[in-house]
Amino acid sequence: MEDPIPLLIPRYMPTSMLEDKPRVWLGTGSCNLLQKTKDSIDELSFWAWSDLLVALKHYQDSPRTATSSGVLEKCLDSLVGRLAMASEVTPCASTSPPDSSGLRISFNTRSTQSSNKGLFRATWWFEDLSALSPNLIEMLVKSMVSRGYNHVIVSGFLFYYQKSKFYTASSDEKREVLEIVIDMLYTLDPSSISCKSLFGVLRPVLRSNISKSCRNKLESMIGSQLDQATIDNLLIPSYGRSYLYDVNLVLRFLKAFLREGGSESSPIRMKKVASLIDLYITEVAPDRCLKSSKFSALVMVLPDSARDSWDELYHAMDIYLE
């Protein structure tokens, strides 16, 4: 008969915690592993970072049991608490939204190198936590937001997480990751989110079957920052349709921009969007499959006051009529 299996709580509990304590043996049904784990929760504050990660990875395979016991939430709370303390000691080097890589990094000057080092110190945990499941990431981000964690760093992590997960994920897993990332981004301050990065998320969204609610949230976030977009961002292929570019999607962006108060908050933002859309209309005008109703909708969606000059728009009209 084999020896009874020792209750190695250090699978998700550090071995240092078991020093000077009697070893518990898992015999024939008398010992409850979950109960023993609960008994060790009071000492979570002494766990090493690596031990917390091991615990979370273990529990993500049986989330119902861990959630019902409260162990999972306590592990996450301890982990987020450490991140919060670290961010207070080493504040983020920048409060501007990260670019599509998740970090805005330049190596041109000594000052930017110093800034990059500060940003790295604030984002060192990205790779460690990218191994967690989408459900745990949702819980993690909600906890970070409730603690007032820097939204710029949180959004950067979400973009990093989406990219890192896509390397090996199945189509269903990609859909789940996208939905969690979009839902969590939607809870953040819009000014903390990079418009360029949102377009990076949009590309896989257009090829996946995510929920309509998530699509609407993403389109709303992009539309609210449309003044920061470029013409290349908007030239999105029209998958499965006869016309070349997805004009309907751009019209939804424009409606979201107007709905979010783009015309009222700043005339400068409105004029930037008008200039962008005039360029877009010029690009799509040669498409012979573009219906006149769609072309007219693009021309008329913005108020007349948005444009200082109509030259570009008249040029686009001439191209379309030809």
Side-chain angles (χ1 to χ4, degrees):
M1 179 177 178
E2 295 183 1
D3 292 335
I5 301 172
L7 177 61
L8 293 180
I9 296 178
R11 169 180 290 188
Y12 39 86
M13 170 181 173
T15 53
S16 60
M17 292 177 56
L18 296 180
E19 294 177 359
D20 302 323
K21 297 182 181 180
R23 200 172 198 188
V24 182
W25 297 89
L26 187 57
T28 57
S30 61
C31 181
N32 185 308
L33 180 62
L34 182 59
Q35 184 59 47
K36 292 298 179 181
T37 305
K38 287 182 180 179
D39 293 341
S40 72
I41 292 302
D42 289 340
E43 300 184 21
L44 265 173
S45 58
F46 301 107
W47 288 23
W49 172 267
S50 58
D51 292 314
L52 285 172
L53 288 177
V54 171
L56 288 171
K57 290 175 185 177
H58 172 79
Y59 278 128
Q60 72 183 3
D61 296 329
S62 53
R64 290 185 179 179
T65 302
T67 301
S68 62
S69 68
V71 175
L72 186 57
E73 289 83 350
K74 291 175 182 178
C75 286
L76 280 170
D77 187 64
S78 179
L79 185 143
V80 172
R82 301 204 187 174
L83 290 177
M85 286 189 293
S87 69
E88 291 173 1
V89 175
T90 308
C92 177
S94 173
T95 57
S96 59
D99 65 13
S100 59
S101 67
L103 301 172
R104 176 172 292 164
I105 296 178
S106 171
F107 299 97
N108 294 330
T109 66
R110 290 182 179 179
S111 62
T112 54
Q113 288 176 0
S114 176
S115 177
N116 292 332
K117 289 179 181 179
L119 186 57
F120 174 78
R121 286 195 295 269
T123 60
W124 57 268
W125 47 273
F126 279 19
E127 184 175 357
D128 287 345
L129 300 191
S130 65
L132 300 181
S133 68
N135 288 335
L136 282 188
I137 292 300
E138 181 179 15
M139 296 174 66
L140 173 77
V141 171
K142 286 180 178 179
S143 179
M144 295 177 78
V145 171
S146 69
R147 285 174 175 261
Y149 203 87
N150 190 321
H151 285 203
V152 172
I153 300 299
V154 175
S155 69
F157 169 67
L158 287 169
F159 291 125
Y160 179 95
Y161 180 76
Q162 180 258 316
K163 287 186 175 182
S164 65
K165 282 293 186 183
F166 265 43
Y167 289 118
T168 58
S170 65
S171 57
D172 288 340
E173 290 170 337
K174 289 179 179 179
R175 177 185 54 77
E176 184 181 11
V177 168
L178 284 170
E179 290 184 345
I180 291 296
V181 166
I182 292 169
D183 280 340
M184 292 300 97
L185 285 171
Y186 197 70
T187 66
L188 304 179
D189 181 349
S191 65
S192 70
I193 305 172
S194 161
C195 182
K196 180 179 179 181
S197 298
L198 288 174
F199 276 104
V201 173
L202 178 66
R203 285 191 288 271
V205 162
L206 294 174
R207 296 188 292 271
S208 63
N209 187 31
I210 71 167
S211 69
K212 185 176 180 180
S213 172
C214 282
R215 283 180 181 269
N216 291 341
K217 288 178 181 178
L218 180 58
E219 291 175 8
S220 177
M221 286 188 287
I222 291 176
S224 67
Q225 313 187 40
L226 197 58
D227 56 305
Q228 299 178 34
T230 66
I231 185 61
D232 289 336
N233 293 149
L234 297 188
L235 293 176
I236 301 164
S238 180
Y239 298 104
R241 295 184 177 87
S242 58
Y243 41 93
L244 189 59
Y245 297 112
D246 197 337
V247 174
N248 289 328
L249 180 59
V250 173
L251 285 170
R252 293 198 295 274
F253 289 158
L254 284 163
K255 291 175 181 177
F257 176 76
L258 296 172
R259 187 171 58 248
E260 296 296 327
S263 59
E264 300 173 1
S265 60
S266 171
I268 295 177
R269 293 184 66 210
M270 175 61 78
K271 293 184 185 300
K272 287 181 66 175
V273 170
S275 297
L276 175 65
I277 293 305
D278 287 352
L279 288 175
Y280 179 77
I281 295 173
T282 302
E283 290 290 337
V284 302
D287 184 2
R288 296 180 180 275
C289 296
L290 182 62
K291 295 180 180 180
S292 58
S293 60
K294 298 301 179 184
F295 185 85
S296 298
L298 285 171
V299 171
M300 300 174 64
V301 66
L302 296 176
D304 292 347
S305 59
R307 295 178 173 88
D308 291 326
S309 171
W310 290 70
D311 292 348
E312 188 71 32
L313 192 56
Y314 288 145
H315 175 60
M317 290 178 180
D318 287 341
I319 295 175
Y320 182 74
L321 292 174
E322 289 177 1

